[in-house]
Amino acid sequence: MSGVRVAAALACAALVAVAAVQMSRVDTEAGRAFGPDRLQRRLDAAPSPDAHRARQARAILATRPIDGRAYRTIALAEQRDALITIAGARGPRDPMTLATLTDRSLAAGEIETGLTHLDALLRVAPATRELFLPLLMPHLHDARVRDSLVERLAQDPPWRGAFLATLRSEAAPAADADALLAALARRTPADEDMQRTRIAVLDRAGRHADARAAWIATLPVHERALAEGVFDGGFEAGQGNVAGYGWWFDDVPGAIVEIARDAPRSGKAALSVEFDDRAVRFSAVHQSLALAPGRYRLQAAALDRVDSTRPFEWRLACTNGAKLAQLPLARDADWRVQSVDFDVPSACTQQSLVLVHAARSLAERRLRGRLLVDDLGIFLIPSSSSRG
């Protein structure tokens, strides 16, 4: 845990120094112009020789013998660990004291004690969460750290949301983050924030099929049946901009993307895209997939009444950039169903499906009219051996 303790001390020192500079300018917060509060804040704000800091801290104690911050200043200046314990008892809400206690405990291998102090620090100084929580991430491989964190997270501390957000970041090793979340789920029911975090962690671990399955498990029961291959290929759920593995509609000037109920091919709804006669670079409808290796058929119905010389098309590609399929949508006066077969290789564990307009010039991007899409699906084609 030495990486945590060194970074923790530096981060807290920087944070408190900035705060102290600001606070020392405000009389009502820092006390009298020459009082102990202002003197302590100046000591925290500006570096000075250790001997000078210790003398000033003793001057503070002469006026205020119970000031834990002064004990902390002397302890750090003279390397007297015993005084840090006194500082913690007399100044239990002082961020620098709590950071120092965290630092010393973790350095001594006292994980439980160190994280107890860290818990207190994250509660009394919320601004430190952004600094300190990423420092814990490289140490999640240690079961003692995970167990201690799970014990505290199960009690819903005020820094829980910030911690889960950090787990979703690149700072957290995905496998260790997943192990912590699994342990936490055994202690407390998974709420929406936990579920969202686990999906993100599984995605970062490259376990996209598991991530999609976890996402599907968060859906209402009646929507889970819509998740075969493509989620809600008939647009019956009536939702866009769904995080995870649902439909996402980008905001594009000159185009209105929505799920409409006035002219579906089947069911009660269809995807509608209306253009208002201006140049548009359109690739605004997309969804992430997690198809297993195999041979598939991409199928879609469209009614294209857009004034354009170029077609719309569905494009399917691996997230590593490898192209899998293109399905141009024929321009017709009535609904028309089209399909294309494609293969997903074993190295392609996540895919992206995007509706684009295949314009090649500014003139071809000028669009006016309405496109309707319905009955979009991706279906596994059984192999010849399984058919036999």
Side-chain angles (χ1 to χ4, degrees):
M1 299 293 288
S2 60
V4 172
R5 61 180 295 262
V6 172
L10 293 175
C12 194
L15 177 76
V16 175
V18 171
V21 168
Q22 298 300 320
M23 295 295 287
S24 65
R25 298 173 179 169
V26 183
D27 288 350
T28 57
E29 293 290 337
R32 304 191 314 273
F34 299 100
D37 286 316
R38 184 176 295 275
L39 179 55
Q40 182 64 56
R41 292 186 188 277
R42 286 175 177 169
L43 287 174
D44 290 341
S48 59
D50 287 343
H52 172 75
R53 297 173 65 78
R55 284 197 304 272
Q56 295 287 76
R58 287 190 170 89
I60 292 171
L61 289 176
T63 303
R64 185 181 293 163
I66 62 170
D67 197 321
R69 298 168 301 170
Y71 280 101
R72 178 253 299 161
T73 302
I74 297 170
L76 295 178
E78 299 181 352
Q79 297 297 305
R80 296 173 61 183
D81 288 353
L83 292 184
I84 285 294
T85 303
I86 297 175
R90 299 192 178 186
R93 297 180 61 85
D94 175 44
M96 280 193 77
T97 298
L98 290 169
T100 303
L101 288 167
T102 301
D103 186 58
R104 300 294 171 89
S105 298
L106 295 179
E110 299 169 356
I111 305 300
E112 188 67 26
T113 301
L115 292 183
T116 296
H117 293 311
L118 181 60
D119 179 22
L121 173 62
L122 298 176
R123 290 171 184 268
V124 303
T128 64
R129 296 170 190 172
E130 186 177 349
L131 293 169
F132 281 92
L133 290 175
L135 302 177
L136 289 174
M137 298 300 108
H139 302 278
L140 295 183
H141 67 277
D142 189 329
R144 298 173 301 166
V145 175
R146 290 200 307 270
D147 291 346
S148 184
L149 286 170
V150 166
E151 184 67 29
R152 286 160 176 77
L153 291 166
Q155 300 171 28
D156 195 22
W159 47 269
R160 185 177 185 274
F163 181 85
L164 292 176
T166 307
L167 284 187
R168 296 192 292 269
S169 74
E170 294 295 331
D176 298 332
D178 188 39
L180 184 147
L181 289 169
L184 181 58
R186 291 192 290 269
R187 288 289 309 275
T188 183
D191 59 13
E192 183 178 347
D193 204 10
M194 278 180 61
Q195 292 169 336
R196 182 164 62 99
T197 301
R198 184 160 191 268
I199 294 166
V201 165
L202 289 171
D203 268 331
R204 285 199 298 107
R207 296 168 55 189
H208 304 297
D210 291 338
R212 189 173 189 269
W215 178 77
I216 291 171
T218 68
L219 299 175
V221 174
H222 69 279
E223 291 186 9
R224 296 178 193 176
L226 305 175
E228 185 67 29
V230 175
F231 171 71
D232 192 21
F235 304 95
E236 298 300 313
Q239 297 182 62
N241 294 0
V242 179
Y245 285 80
W247 286 115
W248 191 265
F249 303 155
D250 295 334
D251 186 12
V252 179
I256 299 175
V257 182
E258 61 184 352
I259 294 175
R261 299 186 178 276
D262 62 326
R265 176 179 180 270
S266 63
K268 299 180 179 179
L271 175 69
S272 170
V273 187
E274 291 193 66
F275 299 93
D276 63 2
D277 197 18
R278 59 189 290 187
V280 176
R281 189 185 296 272
F282 186 81
S283 58
V285 178
H286 45 96
Q287 182 178 135
S288 293
L289 307 175
L291 301 172
R295 186 159 184 78
Y296 293 85
R297 176 165 296 144
L298 170 62
Q299 178 177 296
L303 196 165
D304 184 354
R305 293 177 177 172
V306 178
D307 184 8
S308 171
T309 59
R310 299 290 296 171
F312 291 88
E313 61 185 37
W314 287 104
R315 294 179 183 175
L316 182 63
C318 303
T319 51
N320 63 13
K323 296 179 180 179
L324 296 177
Q326 288 183 228
L327 179 60
L329 302 178
R331 301 185 68 249
D332 208 326
D334 203 350
W335 285 99
R336 184 170 173 183
V337 179
Q338 296 170 269
S339 65
V340 64
D341 295 350
F342 64 95
D343 294 296
V344 175
S346 58
C348 180
T349 57
Q350 187 181 49
Q351 307 83 32
S352 177
L353 180 65
V354 187
L355 178 64
V356 303
H357 182 250
R360 298 171 298 185
S361 66
L362 183 62
E364 291 178 343
R365 293 190 189 108
R366 191 175 186 90
L367 304 176
R368 181 180 68 250
R370 188 186 193 193
L371 171 71
L372 291 169
V373 178
D374 204 355
D375 298 328
L376 174 69
I378 295 180
F379 310 100
L380 181 66
I381 301 175
S383 63
S384 57
S385 59
S386 64
R387 288 196 300 267

